[in-house]
Amino acid sequence: MTVRELNSWTEIREELHRRINDRIWQPGETIPGEADLAEEFGCARTTVSRALRALAEAGLVTRRRKAGTRVAVNPPHKATFTIPIIREEVEARGAAYSHSLLKRVEAGLPPQLHAAFPVGEGARLLFTETVYFADDRPFMFEERYTNLDAVPEFGTIAFDLITPNEWLVQNAPYTSGDLTCYAANAGERLSRFFEVAQETPLFVMERATANQKVPITHVRMSYQPGYRLRTRF
Amino acid sequence: MTVRELNSWTEIREELHRRINDRIWQPGETIPGEADLAEEFGCARTTVSRALRALAEAGLVTRRRKAGTRVAVNPPHKATFTIPIIREEVEARGAAYSHSLLKRVEAGLPPQLHAAFPVGEGARLLFTETVYFADDRPFMFEERYTNLDAVPEFGTIAFDLITPNEWLVQNAPYTSGDLTCYAANAGERLSRFFEVAQETPLFVMERATANQKVPITHVRMSYQPGYRLRTRF
DNA sequence: GATGAGAATATGCATGCACATAAAAACGTG
DNA sequence: CACGTTTTTATGTGCATGCATATTCTCATC
């Protein structure tokens, strides 16, 4: 067998990927060490390492010092969703995008959000309610609590041209967050917005962000009936 | 100012991350070149490169040859969900896991799935219906079409000890897939399973997998009322 | 002034080497 | 045999260097 020399790390990654996929190396099995593979492929150990690291990041193999590299027992059960940017999403559907601020008031945090959005007792919060339209039909309904102690300037913005979300994205960096998806009935309020029955199921996303443990904002986004969040992997 | 020498790529990554976060480098702005940063930090260019690559993978910066590295205009609107493994999820809640195969029949593909699961006209498909229990209460309801032309052996399995999902995970590698989440009402059938009203909103995930363009399986998973899919980032 | 060839340059990739680190394996001691 | 300690070893990381490649920039030419 002619061993074509594989010297680019992507080629090596592909070859290793193939071997895993074709069950040449069984799940759970330890694969040859970096040095062995480097010798086989006729390249430097660093290059093999690069390929293995990529596979490890993709979740196809697990690596441990001394123990070696082994094929992951179950393929990567991960999926990366691109959190949709409403404006882009609406325009991608060929619809005209617009938004409207319905409410803007300093308010306390509802008790049920304390766990997801741990602001202190005396925190100043701005509550905003925004509807996003696609061709004048409601597309998404957003209820947001924003920590004015963390982003004071947020309280001074008009939100007629820019949305609360866009302002925060551009002005309030965050280091960590939390995203939850679930299904809920439209209920009394949203059923009127979307002009559907109260029992209509809606796809809801809740997102909390924080900058170095300082809570920034918590938002609940209720999407129009029939909305689907989709990703390829 | 004492410039502490940062010589581990993680430290450099953190420092760069901080500068981006603190708006020392504005979004859209080009940051100093690798060589300059290497000199500043007193390390090799490779090490800076490693840190920058990590940031680029995280979506915080975008890099182009010659053009240089610049701070991403909008922070990474990505979230990685770990696709739950039912057994683990149930056991993590301290409940007893079990499952039951309800149905197993060769069947044609419903027309509405043709787009999501492009098997040819004469493909042999096995339809399976499985309920997963947490402490004897239904936790998830699974309807699955599996391409027997791609995984013939699948047709010979009993699925009393192992679930269709687990068997496929262990025996049918895939290279690409598609995941969709949405909300749906329980409807007539599922309302009886979950012992709730037909109008109860359920969280539903649909997943299609393929191995090198060969469709493997399509599955619809309807979760128990109140289920939430959650991720940190 | 427009245009295209070529130079300049920043990032990307590969290599060889040295050392750090974690974890398994071997060993020694009670 | 049970235990803690040392050795071994595979991966992890850092560095210096050279070349590859994609763009941008410059400049000569028309």
Side-chain angles (χ1 to χ4, degrees), chain B residues 85-204:
Chain B
I85 297 167
I86 300 296
R87 180 190 295 270
E88 291 176 3
E89 206 173 13
V90 167
E91 286 170 353
R93 297 175 180 217
Y97 165 88
S98 62
H99 62 90
S100 165
L101 186 71
L102 299 185
K103 203 168 176 180
R104 171 221 187 87
V105 56
E106 287 205 29
L109 193 68
Q112 70 269 22
L113 290 185
H114 270 112
F117 193 54
V119 288
E121 195 58 45
R124 290 175 54 237
L125 294 178
L126 188 66
F127 175 71
T128 50
E129 225 174 52
T130 315
V131 202
Y132 297 81
F133 295 92
D135 277 345
D136 300 324
R137 298 186 43 220
F139 180 79
M140 193 268 275
F141 185 85
E142 175 188 293
E143 299 154 275
R144 179 185 294 269
Y145 291 89
T146 305
N147 184 1
L148 288 179
D149 293 334
V151 242
E153 214 200 328
F154 186 77
T156 68
I157 313 296
F159 300 130
D160 45 357
L161 293 176
I162 196 169
T163 66
N165 183 51
E166 284 173 332
W167 189 90
L168 285 168
V169 160
Q170 287 167 30
N171 297 279
Y174 54 83
T175 54
S176 66
D178 183 299
L179 185 66
T180 305
C181 301
Y182 59 94
N185 272 339
E188 200 252 325
R189 180 107 193 263
L190 290 180
S191 66
R192 275 189 276 120
F193 270 103
F194 290 122
E195 296 178 349
V196 292
Q198 291 195 22
E199 298 77 24
T200 308
L202 300 182
F203 182 81
V204 182

Side-chain angles (χ1 to χ4, degrees), chain A residues 7-9 42-47 50 64-66:
Chain A
N7 51 0
S8 101
W9 71 269
C43 68
R45 189 173 76 92
T46 321
T47 310
R50 182 93 166 77
R64 271 165 59 217
R65 279 182 157 119
K66 164 69 186 172

Side-chain angles (χ1 to χ4, degrees), chain A residues 42-211:
Chain A
C43 68
R45 189 173 76 92
T46 321
T47 310
V48 173
S49 190
R50 182 93 166 77
L52 285 173
R53 197 196 316 145
L55 289 175
E57 278 166 10
L60 264 84
V61 299
T62 55
R63 318 185 70 192
R64 271 165 59 217
R65 279 182 157 119
K66 164 69 186 172
T69 304
R70 50 183 57 210
V71 181
V73 202
N74 30 9
H77 278 270
K78 288 184 215 163
T80 307
F81 286 98
T82 308
I83 299 175
I85 297 168
I86 301 296
R87 179 190 294 272
E88 291 175 2
E89 206 171 14
V90 167
E91 287 170 352
R93 297 175 179 217
Y97 165 86
S98 62
H99 63 90
S100 167
L101 186 72
L102 298 184
K103 205 169 178 179
R104 171 219 186 86
V105 58
E106 288 206 29
L109 194 68
Q112 69 269 24
L113 290 186
H114 270 113
F117 192 54
V119 289
E121 195 57 45
R124 292 174 53 237
L125 294 178
L126 188 65
F127 175 70
T128 49
E129 224 174 57
T130 315
V131 202
Y132 297 81
F133 296 93
D135 278 345
D136 301 324
R137 298 186 44 219
F139 180 78
M140 191 268 274
F141 186 84
E142 174 188 292
E143 299 154 275
R144 180 186 294 270
Y145 292 88
T146 306
N147 184 0
L148 289 179
D149 294 333
V151 242
E153 215 200 327
F154 186 77
T156 68
I157 313 294
F159 300 130
D160 45 357
L161 293 176
I162 197 171
T163 66
N165 183 50
E166 284 173 329
W167 190 91
L168 285 168
V169 161
Q170 287 167 29
N171 296 280
Y174 55 83
T175 54
S176 66
D178 184 299
L179 185 66
T180 305
C181 301
Y182 59 94
N185 273 340
E188 200 250 325
R189 179 106 193 263
L190 290 179
S191 67
R192 277 188 277 121
F193 269 103
F194 290 120
E195 298 179 346
V196 292
Q198 290 195 24
E199 299 77 25
T200 309
L202 299 182
F203 183 80
V204 183
M205 282 193 351
E206 284 188 17
R207 199 151 83 97
T209 59
N211 193 358

